[in-house]
Amino acid sequence: MKTITFTINGEKETRDVSESKTLLNFIREDLHLTGTKEGCGEGECGACTIILNGKAVHSCMMLAVEIDGCDVETVEVMSKDGNLDILQEKFIEHNAVQCGFCTPGMLMSARALLLSNPNPTVDEIKTALEGNICRCTGYKQIIEAVSDAAKGGKYE
Amino acid sequence: MPTLNYLCPTTSSELKKILKKKKTDSFILAGGTDLLVKIRHNVVKPKEIIDIKKIKKFNEIKLTKTQLNIGCAATLNEIAENKTIKEKFPAIADGSLSIGSTQIRNRGTLVGNLCNSSPVADTVPGLLIYDAKIKILSPTGTKTVSIHDFITGVGKNILKKNEIVESVILPLPKNTKSAFLKNARRKALDLSSVNVAVGLFNKSKKNPDIRIAVGACAPITKRAQKAEKFLKKNGLTDETIKKAAKMLPISPISDLRGSKEFRNKIAHRLFIKLATQLGEV
Ligand SMILES: Cc1cc2nc3c(=O)[nH]c(=O)nc-3n(C[C@H](O)[C@H](O)[C@H](O)COP(=O)(O)OP(=O)(O)OC[C@H]3O[C@@H](n4cnc5c(N)ncnc54)[C@H](O)[C@@H]3O)c2cc1C
Ligand code: FES
Ligand code: FES
């Protein structure tokens, strides 16, 4: 066990964690934030995407102990007091959600993009989402939803 | 995952002390994008992990008058977006950018790609054409070796158990044009079936100082010395480029990413495309 201190969705936390636990399992099992999904467990699908110090990363490819001193965001950061984030609203509006399994990862990749680049081109959106696989939608609706959410360049 | 001891030194001297006692079941962790997959599949069973990312200077990409130093914790995306690397070492920038996906590149490092020493590693052809030097840190100090001596087999390199790569040093070239191309089944998240880096290091089409490296087609990716010498002697024309393509040091295998014949054809085609482009301007 090791004690780590980190920020999760804006709140500072200190926890004991097993050195051999992946960040994904820590988020789901210890923090009980089950929005983050496990698809492949090895970097191929993007379902486990979270934001670490402002960058989209796979939580399945990290040890939980690595987040000591870091800022972590999971999909739960997005809605506030029952109000959806603009990205979430646009995903619904554009039918960019079917089974929904890829959606938390897609949202986190899109959020990381818009936070660092509020006016992305379609190509930049595609690059940001290239690591997120969706078996249902065919991607078109997802890209449209992100473009639409970015309109005005004021994502926060 | 079995129980682990996790060490996270914050200075080189702390790391050196750890390296002194390092055993064979202790592993260096950079981005973890190769290592965590190996642990998951029980290919390696570490008892100890040494995380090197919290050592500040290991994260730096530093330019001096004569060279560029890429620290072992600099991520592939930091490298792909670095202005100097894009300008002076496009085969490294594009090789880095071709790896995995945004998430993989936000964690994965160039030095991890090198130390993993896979024949398909996408940053290695670039390192070879720029004659990179590899700075190795051990408990007793540092030494520098040539990239051409670093990789010794599939997944193997010259590092001893208590050594790490601290940085990669790229000598600043004059008058150069260079580029990287990769062929894969899909654009993102796929390993190369063939990758090629070619650079022209003088302005002469008659006696071009051309450097060529073709990856994923042999156990160890090496410079195509025979083809380089032939072009230097015979000049850069459509005809000589086609002849040089037949001299590439490749012995591809057939696997799920392509048959032997397919790889041979693609290697020739990518090389001809790059060499022709460089000769044009
Ligand atoms: C989905 C997916 C897609 C991928 N696509 C590609 C691709 O297209 N092309 C490609 O080339 N690779 C690809 N990879 C492989 C991997 O992402 C790269 O090789 C990456 O650059 C590894 O860097 P890392 O920092 O994550 O290495 P790590 O996993 O941290 O380390 C890799 C190995 O090197 C050792 N090591 C790391 N740093 C040092 C050091 N400084 N000194 C000594 N030893 C060290 C580690 O102990 C380990 O054995 C992919 C991987 C995944 C999971
Ligand atoms: S579960 Fe992490 S990338 Fe698939
Ligand atoms: S909505 Fe089902 S996987 Fe994307």
Side-chain angles (χ1 to χ4, degrees):
Chain A
M1 283 293 197
K2 193 176 162 18
T3 308
I4 55 172
T5 301
F6 52 95
T7 308
I8 178 81
N9 299 335
E11 307 258 338
K12 204 157 188 178
E13 285 260 8
T14 299
R15 294 280 181 129
D16 290 334
V17 60
S18 152
E19 285 92 338
S20 56
K21 197 161 209 160
T22 63
L23 178 57
L24 173 63
N25 287 341
F26 176 68
I27 287 172
R28 291 181 56 86
E29 294 166 5
D30 297 30
L31 302 180
H32 305 294
L33 296 169
T34 52
T36 308
K37 303 295 181 221
E38 172 161 12
C40 63
E42 49 194 66
E44 304 269 357
C45 75
C48 67
T49 303
I50 55 134
I51 300 180
L52 178 75
N53 295 339
K55 303 241 153 84
V57 302
H58 296 306
S59 60
C60 72
M61 303 280 287
M62 283 180 65
L63 298 172
V65 282
E66 290 183 75
I67 66 167
D68 192 21
C70 295
D71 183 63
V72 180
E73 282 187 358
T74 63
V75 70
E76 286 84 356
V77 81
M78 295 185 86
S79 71
K80 295 216 166 64
D81 309 321
N83 297 318
L84 296 184
D85 173 287
I86 179 89
L87 271 166
Q88 292 171 312
E89 276 176 10
K90 293 298 174 188
F91 266 58
I92 296 169
E93 200 179 306
H94 287 266
N95 291 317
V97 184
Q98 284 185 32
C99 81
F101 199 80
C102 71
T103 311
M106 287 286 180
L107 286 168
M108 291 317 273
S109 287
R111 176 177 168 84
L113 171 71
L114 296 192
L115 287 175
S116 65
N117 176 5
N119 285 301
T121 62
V122 169
D123 273 349
E124 286 168 337
I125 295 174
K126 284 184 180 168
T127 302
L129 300 180
E130 72 188 353
N132 293 77
I133 287 176
C134 175
R135 300 307 302 255
C136 305
T137 65
Y139 302 100
K140 194 167 163 276
Q141 299 90 323
I142 295 175
I143 292 161
E144 285 167 1
V146 178
S147 301
D148 199 1
K151 264 191 200 139
K154 290 218 181 68
Y155 184 80
E156 54 187 28
Chain B
M1 218 187 278
T3 49
L4 280 180
N5 188 22
Y6 172 82
L7 301 172
C8 189
T10 52
T11 62
S12 305
S13 52
E14 212 181 312
L15 173 65
K16 278 188 195 165
K17 278 184 209 141
I18 294 171
L19 289 176
K20 207 168 177 179
K21 288 186 253 160
K22 183 174 174 288
K23 304 211 172 69
T24 42
D25 54 13
S26 168
F27 285 76
I28 303 292
L29 174 70
T33 61
D34 278 313
L35 190 61
L36 264 82
V37 176
K38 284 188 188 161
I39 295 174
R40 185 179 158 93
H41 289 281
N42 284 319
V43 179
V44 298
K45 297 188 180 84
K47 287 228 171 78
E48 182 175 271
I49 294 273
I50 305 167
D51 187 345
I52 53 176
K53 293 186 292 290
K54 297 262 160 86
I55 299 172
K56 226 183 186 160
K57 72 167 181 185
F58 287 2
N59 290 275
E60 288 172 356
I61 301 175
K62 220 162 116 192
L63 182 67
T64 69
K65 268 199 186 129
T66 54
Q67 62 188 42
L68 185 88
N69 213 302
I70 302 177
C72 60
T75 66
L76 293 163
N77 262 343
E78 285 161 0
I79 291 163
E81 287 160 13
N82 182 280
K83 211 172 141 252
T84 310
I85 301 180
K86 284 209 299 219
E87 235 167 64
K88 305 272 184 200
F89 306 102
I92 299 281
D94 291 348
S96 302
L97 190 62
S98 82
I99 289 178
S101 60
T102 301
Q103 293 96 318
I104 295 284
R105 293 191 300 276
N106 277 339
R107 291 297 285 175
T109 61
L110 177 143
V111 172
N113 192 234
L114 172 68
C115 292
N116 198 50
S117 303
S118 154
V120 302
D122 283 317
T123 64
V124 169
L127 293 175
L128 288 167
I129 66 163
Y130 300 121
D131 285 334
K133 285 182 269 173
I134 313 300
K135 188 172 171 191
I136 297 175
L137 176 87
S138 74
T140 50
T142 58
K143 64 177 176 189
T144 306
V145 301
S146 161
I147 178 71
H148 305 293
D149 302 323
F150 186 78
I151 298 174
T152 53
V154 178
K156 294 199 181 101
N157 56 50
I158 60 165
L159 287 180
K160 303 210 179 74
K161 80 167 191 294
N162 56 5
E163 291 178 335
I164 71 146
V165 172
E166 180 177 318
S167 64
V168 162
I169 299 162
L170 302 171
L172 280 182
K174 293 185 202 113
N175 280 338
T176 73
K177 284 186 297 181
S178 46
F180 169 90
L181 274 179
K182 145 176 179 178
N183 182 271
R185 291 163 303 176
R186 61 192 288 272
K187 193 174 151 266
L189 289 167
D190 200 7
L191 298 174
S192 291
S193 40
V194 177
N195 54 24
V196 182
V198 181
L200 191 58
F201 291 78
N202 63 3
K203 279 189 177 154
S204 168
K205 272 180 91 167
K206 240 174 150 184
N207 301 104
D209 178 4
I210 192 165
R211 301 187 203 153
I212 306 158
V214 182
C217 288
I220 304 176
T221 302
K222 286 193 176 132
R223 283 268 293 279
Q225 284 176 339
K226 205 172 152 197
E228 290 177 3
K229 276 195 192 124
F230 172 81
L231 289 170
K232 185 153 197 179
K233 197 163 154 230
N234 297 289
L236 207 54
T237 66
D238 288 354
E239 207 177 310
T240 56
I241 290 172
K242 267 188 207 135
K243 279 191 185 151
K246 303 231 161 73
M247 300 173 191
L248 297 175
I250 53 179
S251 50
I253 53 160
S254 296
D255 67 10
L256 80 166
R257 283 187 288 276
S259 69
K260 197 168 127 186
E261 295 74 20
F262 172 77
R263 277 206 161 96
N264 252 317
K265 256 196 195 146
I266 294 289
H268 288 171
R269 209 169 282 173
L270 290 183
F271 163 69
I272 290 170
K273 190 170 166 187
L274 280 184
T276 311
Q277 272 173 11
L278 292 185
E280 266 165 10
V281 215

